[in-house]
Amino acid sequence: MLLCLFTLFNVQVVDDFSTGTYIHPNATYHRIDISVSDNIPKLREVFKDSSLIYHHAAIARVQPSFKDPIKYHRINATGTLNCLEAAKDLKKMRHFVYASTSSIYGNVNAAPSFMFKEGLYPKGDSPYAYLN
């Protein structure tokens, strides 16, 4: 799937590279911190010719969100808002796909009968869950 994306589309990646190092040779990378509102013009410049944004940027892991909820909010919530703000008036923009986490549903029963489905009510039980 990803290979197909990189082959068929002009893939632009925005990352602050605070974690991870994977770089695909067919993508263009932009080192931008999405949590900083002053970077909205930079994001808009990267997004200007895009019709689709796949937004996966967030700090992962539930437990540290209890210790530093402000940091998690800044990156996970404010960062998402900044991406939306940068994309909102772009003429070519058609879709904004946000990848969240199953943590928003809380500590659910993992029995085989349990299924994630449309309309499932969020019951977050951590700062991380409420910011995703």
Short mmCIF file of all heavy atoms in Angstrom, two decimals, residues 11 20 29 37 49 57 61 71 86 117 124:
data_model
loop_
_atom_site.label_atom_id
_atom_site.label_comp_id
_atom_site.label_asym_id
_atom_site.label_seq_id
_atom_site.Cartn_x
_atom_site.Cartn_y
_atom_site.Cartn_z
N VAL A 11 4.41 12.46 -2.59
CA VAL A 11 4.22 12.36 -1.15
C VAL A 11 5.12 13.36 -0.43
O VAL A 11 6.34 13.36 -0.61
CB VAL A 11 4.51 10.93 -0.65
CG1 VAL A 11 4.41 10.84 0.86
CG2 VAL A 11 3.56 9.94 -1.32
N GLY A 20 12.04 8.30 15.62
CA GLY A 20 12.08 7.62 14.33
C GLY A 20 13.09 8.20 13.37
O GLY A 20 13.53 9.34 13.50
N TYR A 29 10.66 15.33 2.46
CA TYR A 29 10.50 15.50 3.90
C TYR A 29 10.68 16.96 4.30
O TYR A 29 11.55 17.65 3.77
CB TYR A 29 11.50 14.62 4.66
CG TYR A 29 11.11 13.17 4.60
CD1 TYR A 29 11.37 12.40 3.47
CD2 TYR A 29 10.43 12.57 5.65
CE1 TYR A 29 10.98 11.08 3.39
CE2 TYR A 29 10.04 11.25 5.59
CZ TYR A 29 10.32 10.51 4.47
OH TYR A 29 9.91 9.20 4.39
N SER A 37 2.07 27.08 16.45
CA SER A 37 1.15 27.83 15.60
C SER A 37 1.86 28.73 14.59
O SER A 37 1.34 28.97 13.50
CB SER A 37 0.18 28.65 16.45
OG SER A 37 -0.61 27.78 17.22
N ASP A 49 -0.39 22.18 -2.74
CA ASP A 49 -0.73 21.43 -3.95
C ASP A 49 -1.32 20.06 -3.65
O ASP A 49 -1.47 19.24 -4.55
CB ASP A 49 0.51 21.27 -4.84
CG ASP A 49 0.97 22.60 -5.42
OD1 ASP A 49 0.09 23.41 -5.76
OD2 ASP A 49 2.19 22.82 -5.50
N ALA A 57 0.51 12.25 12.93
CA ALA A 57 1.48 12.83 13.86
C ALA A 57 0.91 12.90 15.27
O ALA A 57 -0.13 13.49 15.51
CB ALA A 57 1.87 14.23 13.40
N ARG A 61 1.85 6.31 23.31
CA ARG A 61 1.96 5.75 24.65
C ARG A 61 1.09 6.48 25.66
O ARG A 61 1.17 7.68 25.82
CB ARG A 61 3.40 5.69 25.13
CG ARG A 61 4.25 4.78 24.24
CD ARG A 61 5.55 4.32 24.84
NE ARG A 61 5.38 3.66 26.11
CZ ARG A 61 6.01 4.07 27.22
NH1 ARG A 61 6.82 5.08 27.20
NH2 ARG A 61 5.82 3.43 28.35
N LYS A 71 2.22 18.51 27.41
CA LYS A 71 3.02 18.15 26.23
C LYS A 71 2.19 17.33 25.25
O LYS A 71 2.21 17.59 24.04
CB LYS A 71 4.25 17.33 26.67
CG LYS A 71 5.10 16.83 25.53
CD LYS A 71 6.27 16.00 26.06
CE LYS A 71 7.10 15.44 24.94
NZ LYS A 71 8.20 14.60 25.46
N ALA A 86 -4.05 25.03 8.60
CA ALA A 86 -3.21 25.22 7.41
C ALA A 86 -3.90 24.72 6.15
O ALA A 86 -3.69 25.27 5.07
CB ALA A 86 -1.87 24.49 7.60
N LYS A 117 -16.54 -0.47 16.06
CA LYS A 117 -17.45 -0.21 14.96
C LYS A 117 -17.92 1.24 15.02
O LYS A 117 -17.79 1.91 16.05
CB LYS A 117 -18.64 -1.16 15.01
CG LYS A 117 -19.40 -1.11 16.32
CD LYS A 117 -20.45 -2.19 16.36
CE LYS A 117 -21.04 -2.23 17.77
NZ LYS A 117 -21.83 -3.39 18.02
N GLY A 124 -12.65 7.44 27.11
CA GLY A 124 -11.23 7.56 27.42
C GLY A 124 -10.97 7.55 28.91
O GLY A 124 -11.75 8.08 29.69
#
